[in-house]
Amino acid sequence: MIDLFSDTATKPSAAMRAYMCQAEVGDEQRFEDPTVNRLQEMVASLLGKEAALYLPSGTMCNQISFAIACRPGDEILLDRTAHPLHAEAGGAAALTGTVFTVLQGTRGIFDRDQVAAAIRPVWRYAPRTRAVSIEQTTNLGGGACWQLERMRAICALAHEHELWAHCDGARLLNAVVAMGVPAREQAASFDSIWIDFSKGLGAPVGAVLAGTRDFIDEAWRLKQRLGGAMRQAGIIAAACVYALEHNVERLAEDHANARRLAERLAALPGLRVDAAAVETNIVLIDAAATGRAAAEIARALDERHGVRVSTFGLRTIRAVTHLDIGAPDIEVAADAFADVLR
Ligand SMILES: *Cc1c(COP(=O)(O)O)cnc(C)c1O
């Protein structure tokens, strides 16, 4: 099977598993797990923040950040494609009581003027605009990267208006590798930022949230409250340490594979793929001109060729490359598309 459904499909490698087996562990809640402590220090340093916190998921990183930044009735600005809007079970509304206002970005990316237009004047009839959230890279936006200047301009505007600037960095390291802009530079103007380890980095579980010491102290309280506090978590945190040491530079291979897939698919009749727009590991494919539903094509790919992809709406297919996909798999997957469309 060639699993392009998501980069969450990666399985821990033999070397990663061996590294996990040797991990020194303790009670992370009492700061006695040396592996968790080490991971948190590594990420704080990578992102240039005072402190960091290991959490079970990226979703929890987003939810804890929103809960600290906002009070019930507050408003969060984010793109119409944002993960917290589509894939976090309404968490910000349910857990913090916020409203989302969506900005109409392009490939998940909006600009400073759109934020400026959306920030509400302080008025007791209106929700208080309290936070702006961006995604680096954009997931449903097709893995597009925010340029550093644009992020800085939006964070500066947010801070002028006393808003919280949050970065959902599920795939931040893909952007680091693709753009050649260090993580700490990208992270500098955000109040909260996190990276996911269960995506392209290839670890089985976890994400790490970073910010000021005070922010992380408060995040600990929420981690405890939500049931995210673990015990000998070093056994899984070890996989994340391993991933930081071995699986970052190689993300460039995933990007090259995604680009190659996009180029091959763009040549097939009925598929519209903007190969030049593939910056990282996500390929969006518009299948409208085939006259067939995206889900039907996906089903045929899976049943006939063991190639798995995801779909959005009636016409969009998404393929995501990752460390369990090699260059030869890309040729097989592209051949499978050609066969299914024939
Ligand atoms: C996957 C993802 C998340 C959620 O991360 P989990 O670790 O799966 O909870 C959040 N934001 C984006 C952009 C993602 O791609």
Side-chain angles (χ1 to χ4, degrees):
M1 170 154 94
I2 297 177
D3 198 342
L4 301 167
F5 187 87
S6 169
D7 46 8
T8 54
T10 58
K11 305 240 170 64
S13 64
M16 181 180 274
R17 288 168 195 253
Y19 190 80
M20 293 169 77
C21 281
Q22 320 235 318
E24 276 186 68
V25 298
D27 187 341
E28 70 146 22
Q29 298 181 25
R30 290 162 39 162
F31 309 109
E32 286 171 0
D33 189 304
T35 310
V36 170
N37 292 345
R38 167 137 184 260
L39 173 66
Q40 291 173 164
E41 281 158 22
M42 286 171 87
V43 174
S45 146
L46 177 73
L47 300 181
K49 299 295 184 196
E50 285 173 14
L53 178 60
Y54 187 45
L55 289 166
S57 70
T59 298
M60 200 179 282
C61 294
N62 278 338
Q63 294 305 324
I64 285 180
S65 301
F66 295 153
I68 292 172
C70 301
R71 293 196 311 235
D74 285 349
E75 174 183 56
I76 300 170
L77 306 177
L78 37 60
D79 188 76
R80 61 182 155 169
T81 65
H83 193 278
L85 177 64
H86 296 285
E88 299 185 12
L95 302 173
T96 305
T98 59
V99 295
F100 283 151
T101 291
V102 298
L103 304 179
Q104 306 293 319
T106 304
R107 294 173 59 82
I109 296 175
F110 45 83
D111 62 26
R112 183 191 178 282
D113 290 348
Q114 286 171 288
V115 178
I119 296 173
R120 297 170 194 269
V122 178
W123 196 38
R124 67 185 157 84
Y125 291 92
R128 183 175 68 142
T129 311
R130 185 57 196 133
V132 58
S133 179
I134 75 139
E135 233 171 75
Q136 180 74 309
T137 67
T138 65
N139 179 345
L140 300 188
C145 298
W146 289 73
Q147 295 303 307
L148 184 60
E149 287 316 313
R150 189 183 289 246
M151 292 192 285
R152 279 187 180 152
I154 287 173
C155 291
L157 175 72
H159 292 145
E160 271 168 44
H161 290 268
E162 294 180 14
L163 309 191
W164 186 272
H166 175 69
C167 181
D168 170 338
R171 295 183 184 79
L172 175 72
L173 297 182
N174 291 83
V176 167
V177 168
M179 300 199 294
V181 178
R184 60 165 52 223
E185 279 183 46
Q186 299 198 41
S189 43
F190 290 100
D191 300 298
S192 49
I193 182 165
W194 59 273
I195 57 175
D196 213 331
F197 285 91
S198 65
K199 303 272 166 82
L201 292 177
V205 189
V208 177
L209 175 65
T212 63
R213 181 77 257 165
D214 283 352
F215 169 73
I216 292 300
D217 286 347
E218 196 55 27
W220 254 115
R221 181 189 303 282
L222 285 154
K223 167 170 163 153
Q224 211 79 46
R225 179 178 298 159
L226 295 172
M230 299 174 274
R231 296 294 181 185
Q232 289 72 27
I235 201 86
I236 48 174
C240 306
V241 171
Y242 182 91
L244 278 183
E245 287 176 345
H246 296 89
N247 292 347
V248 177
E249 295 307 319
R250 63 149 309 284
L251 290 170
E253 294 169 33
D254 299 343
H255 302 170
N257 284 338
R259 178 68 78 97
R260 169 71 182 157
L261 180 65
E263 282 164 359
R264 284 218 42 202
L265 297 184
L268 296 180
L271 296 185
R272 270 197 24 227
V273 186
D274 185 355
V278 174
E279 297 173 62
T280 57
N281 67 329
I282 300 176
V283 182
L284 293 185
I285 302 139
D286 181 348
T290 62
R292 293 159 67 184
E296 187 206 320
I297 296 171
R299 200 173 322 112
L301 283 168
D302 194 357
E303 282 170 9
R304 286 202 240 154
H305 298 278
V307 171
R308 281 184 66 195
V309 293
S310 57
T311 61
F312 304 110
L314 287 175
R315 56 193 280 176
T316 306
I317 298 172
R318 186 190 72 165
V320 186
T321 58
H322 52 77
L323 91 179
D324 292 351
I325 299 291
D329 296 324
I330 296 298
E331 307 306 328
V332 175
D335 291 342
F337 269 92
D339 179 64
V340 164
L341 295 172
R342 197 164 299 146

